[in-house]
Amino acid sequence: MSIERRGNILNKKCGMSKRDAVNDPPFFAFDRDFATDILQSAGSDVTTKKSAMEGKDFLHRDKPENGVAKSPPGVTQRLFELIPSANDSEVLQTLAQNRMGKDNAAIEFSRTSLLQRTWPRLRSVATLYIVALTLPISILGCVALVVLHILRGGRLTALSPHPTGNTRKGYQPTAIVTGARMTKGLHICRHLHKAGWRVVLVDYDRWWMQGSRLSACCAAFFTVPDPEQDPVGYFKAIASIAAKERAKLYIPVSAPTTAIYDSLTQDVLPKDCICWTLPPYLTGRLDDKTAFTDLCNKVGVQVPKCFRVESAQQVRELNNSPDKLAHKKYLLKSIVYDPAHRADLFTLPSKAGPLERYLGRIEISQVRPWIVQEYMDGEELSTYAIAYKGKVLAYADNEASISCLSYGHIESKEIWSWVKTFCKETGCSGQLCFDYMRSSSDGQLYSIECNPRTSTVITEFHDHPGLAQAFTDPESVQSVMKPLKNSPPVYWFWNEVATLLTTGHFKTWWETVTQGVDATFDPSDPMPFLGLHYMQVPVLLVRNIWTGRPWKKIDLCIGKVVELGGD
């Protein structure tokens, strides 16, 4: 497909005319050759990269003369001027790969037929009807639990001061938390509020309807441009909010494709504001599954063998080389986060027919690399850690799955040792999530990937009184914090109801809801529960009725409808 054709498809999806696109090209309608240039320049030094990037934007690319382009500076140049840390090889590579994922998803969706868009719309209408039916049950249940909470001597959460941090008790420091549309963001908000902090929530414009903004812990709520569409506008908005609110703490709760942008906000925050992200270059390295594997091998922690592939032909060659694969089974998966194919679990070696059909459904290129990773058949595990200067301040683990909606600490000494070693050897500061497989063949523990961002595993600290200290005063933490012993696991009530109706396993459902706690509902702060189910989710379903995007499920954990090309 030509660059012009690709740009026209994306501009049409964004409601832009061809003339508008030429005069003011959107960040997200960039060309494939530009992304390739980023990757080619990634191996050069910073000066060379800046020259190669100068004068280019994400849609149009003029041929440079003597190494310098004639066209006026575009989005990329403005981004470098505002965010110097963006001019780094691993950061550029991550930005290019994530952007190409969105680009391909938009093109894939543009090829869907009217019939293919009708079924998702019908599902959304039916789901909206079901959601409406549950509203009276949720309201009655919330009222009953809140009244019971008060009768037992409990109190409702006191509203945060607004609009400033000045209270009768003195100055209250302000923390900015992003991404609270997800449960993990709401939990951080509640922890900070209980610790005496004033919490300001920030999210992208399209997430104005998130349920967490109704929380009593939320002192103020702002929306900002999506960094994948308007990166310069996003960073300027974050800088403005942080300055206006006199923020002392910045905790981003990132989506998979936006973690790299959140790490770059360090360049625009006030100097006295603690930013709980990894450095941008390390975020890019850990997001790349092959780079993460190389880093683990240097650190001395165990990971499965893998190969990086940047073309379909490389996959075919590996498939036809049983000796290279050591006669073992390997998993083919995207290095870039891909919600549409992350659960495919396509393995090599494969017969030629199935392999060619699968390769026809996906794109493998230099800008869209995949990994061929040794397949692990066994127990899947996950961890979350807060690290500061190589020291682990907080740690939790759990049994996991591709779509995990139940969290409980398992206290694995082997995983704890792995995480502690990794953080110590890398000297990292930030939030990390590691996924593991315990091989059924040799019983060994292997880390299969790292997500350099907040994990939902943090919900295991829901009743921990001191977690906020790890964020607000990391120097004072003397020993690692772990979920409390006998702490009830968390679940999402209406997800469990749906599971009950589809499986009929009443005993399992009863044990889950009586022995655990809902991840969103808190009798002292009940509104986010209602906001998630009856404001956030319905708006997403109405949007889907409008767009007709194919979708797999409603994920209450991250508060979204999992659509084709989603985040």
Side-chain angles (χ1 to χ4, degrees):
M1 181 181 295
S2 69
I3 294 170
E4 183 178 4
R5 169 64 175 157
R6 174 181 291 268
N8 288 342
I9 288 176
L10 290 168
N11 293 333
K12 184 177 180 182
K13 287 297 164 192
C14 302
M16 297 185 70
S17 67
K18 186 175 181 179
R19 177 177 294 180
D20 291 336
V22 171
N23 294 332
D24 188 19
F27 175 82
F28 45 88
F30 78 86
D31 90 51
R32 180 188 302 272
D33 287 348
F34 175 78
T36 303
D37 286 346
I38 289 180
L39 296 181
Q40 289 174 345
S41 66
S44 307
D45 57 36
V46 173
T47 304
T48 303
K49 285 182 297 190
K50 188 171 183 179
S51 298
M53 304 287 288
E54 204 166 33
K56 302 179 185 179
D57 57 41
F58 284 82
L59 179 59
H60 301 285
R61 171 174 162 268
D62 293 335
K63 186 176 180 179
E65 184 175 325
N66 298 325
V68 180
K70 290 183 176 180
S71 57
V75 173
T76 309
Q77 183 62 30
R78 299 200 304 273
L79 181 63
F80 285 167
E81 292 171 357
L82 183 63
I83 310 292
S85 298
N87 206 343
D88 175 88
S89 60
E90 281 156 325
V91 172
L92 293 175
Q93 177 171 291
T94 304
L95 289 173
Q97 291 175 352
N98 287 349
R99 192 54 260 150
M100 277 301 298
K102 291 286 185 181
D103 187 7
N104 292 334
I107 293 173
E108 186 176 349
F109 175 63
S110 71
R111 294 171 177 165
T112 57
S113 65
L114 178 61
L115 182 61
Q116 289 174 311
R117 300 183 190 186
T118 300
W119 173 240
R121 288 178 169 129
L122 293 175
R123 286 184 65 200
S124 294
V125 170
T127 306
L128 268 175
Y129 178 71
I130 295 172
V131 170
L133 292 178
T134 66
L135 178 58
I137 301 173
S138 290
I139 291 177
L140 290 174
C142 286
V143 170
L145 291 173
V146 169
V147 170
L148 183 62
H149 171 71
I150 295 174
L151 291 176
R152 289 177 173 176
R155 295 183 179 182
L156 296 180
T157 299
L159 292 174
S160 291
H162 178 75
T164 68
N166 294 317
T167 69
R168 287 177 296 178
K169 296 180 180 180
Y171 176 72
Q172 191 175 23
T174 296
I176 294 177
V177 178
T178 71
R181 64 184 181 274
M182 297 178 273
T183 306
K184 48 193 173 183
L186 174 62
H187 276 241
I188 291 177
C189 178
R190 285 171 171 168
H191 281 294
L192 292 174
H193 179 78
K194 290 176 181 177
W197 282 66
R198 174 177 174 270
V199 183
V200 173
L201 299 184
V202 176
D203 218 321
Y204 308 144
D205 292 332
R206 70 179 185 273
W207 290 103
W208 59 268
M209 72 306 182
Q210 63 176 255
S212 296
R213 68 180 297 178
L214 303 180
S215 173
C217 302
C218 175
F221 177 81
F222 297 93
T223 62
V224 296
D226 188 327
E228 294 188 293
Q229 297 181 5
D230 181 9
V232 175
Y234 167 74
F235 289 117
K236 286 184 176 179
I238 290 294
S240 175
I241 294 170
K244 177 184 176 182
E245 300 296 324
R246 295 177 293 174
K248 302 299 181 184
L249 194 63
Y250 182 81
I251 306 177
V253 180
S254 311
T257 59
T258 59
I260 188 67
Y261 295 99
D262 287 330
S263 68
L264 291 169
T265 55
Q266 299 176 44
D267 285 6
V268 299
L269 293 173
K271 292 183 179 179
D272 61 345
C273 181
I274 301 174
C275 182
W276 273 102
T277 65
L278 295 165
Y281 77 90
L282 186 55
T283 298
R285 187 178 302 177
L286 296 179
D287 248 339
D288 186 310
K289 295 177 178 62
T290 52
F292 169 65
T293 298
D294 293 339
L295 180 60
C296 287
N297 287 328
K298 292 178 182 178
V299 168
V301 288
Q302 197 160 239
V303 287
K305 186 177 180 181
C306 70
F307 303 91
R308 185 188 186 93
V309 290
E310 297 180 349
S311 69
Q313 184 57 33
Q314 289 181 342
V315 178
R316 296 186 187 99
E317 291 172 359
L318 277 174
N319 191 58
N320 296 327
S321 305
D323 292 338
K324 198 167 186 178
L325 297 180
H327 300 278
K328 295 181 179 179
K329 187 187 294 186
Y330 278 72
L331 191 65
L332 178 62
K333 59 183 183 180
S334 175
I335 288 179
V336 182
Y337 177 73
D338 186 345
H341 298 291
R342 68 190 297 256
D344 287 353
L345 302 180
F346 188 87
T347 59
L348 301 177
S350 168
K351 292 183 179 179
L355 176 61
E356 291 303 320
R357 285 193 293 273
Y358 189 70
L359 292 176
R361 291 172 46 203
I362 63 176
E363 178 182 352
I364 304 178
S365 65
Q366 184 184 20
V367 193
R368 185 77 173 167
W370 284 54
I371 184 174
V372 178
Q373 187 179 66
E374 185 178 351
Y375 181 79
M376 297 288 164
D377 185 14
E379 183 183 18
E380 187 173 354
L381 305 161
S382 182
T383 65
Y384 166 73
I386 302 173
Y388 182 70
K389 296 180 180 179
K391 177 184 176 182
V392 180
L393 306 182
Y395 163 85
D397 56 20
N398 75 297
E399 295 179 357
S401 63
I402 290 179
S403 180
C404 186
L405 284 170
S406 181
Y407 290 84
H409 189 58
I410 59 175
E411 192 64 55
S412 170
K413 294 182 179 179
E414 191 175 359
I415 297 179
W416 162 238
S417 176
W418 193 104
V419 173
K420 187 167 59 173
T421 300
F422 182 90
C423 293
K424 180 181 178 180
E425 294 299 321
T426 58
C428 60
S429 296
Q431 301 180 79
L432 305 102
C433 171
F434 299 98
D435 293 332
Y436 304 87
M437 290 295 295
R438 186 180 299 281
S439 174
S440 58
S441 59
D442 60 13
Q444 295 295 309
L445 185 74
Y446 297 86
S447 181
I448 55 177
E449 66 180 34
C450 173
N451 299 309
R453 54 186 180 271
T454 313
S455 165
T456 308
V457 180
I458 196 176
T459 59
E460 294 179 13
F461 289 96
H462 64 89
D463 54 354
H464 197 292
L467 183 67
Q469 182 186 359
F471 290 115
T472 61
D473 191 9
E475 296 280 3
S476 68
V477 178
Q478 298 300 316
S479 58
V480 62
M481 301 180 195
K482 296 182 181 181
L484 301 177
K485 292 183 178 180
N486 302 317
S487 175
V490 299
Y491 62 85
W492 285 258
F493 178 77
W494 284 113
N495 178 78
E496 295 301 326
V497 172
T499 302
L500 170 65
L501 296 176
T502 54
T503 64
H505 296 159
F506 179 80
K507 183 179 179 181
T508 301
W509 175 83
W510 182 252
E511 289 177 351
T512 300
V513 299
T514 55
Q515 296 177 11
V517 295
D518 186 271
T520 305
F521 180 77
D522 183 336
S524 65
D525 183 30
M527 290 307 296
F529 176 86
L530 295 174
L532 169 64
H533 294 89
Y534 305 104
M535 182 170 71
Q536 185 169 329
V537 170
V539 170
L540 294 175
L541 290 171
V542 170
R543 285 181 186 170
N544 187 265
I545 294 172
W546 177 259
T547 63
R549 283 185 177 274
W551 57 281
K552 290 187 175 183
K553 63 177 181 177
I554 296 174
D555 194 326
L556 297 176
C557 170
I558 52 179
K560 72 176 185 179
V561 176
V562 182
E563 296 179 325
L564 173 68
D567 57 2

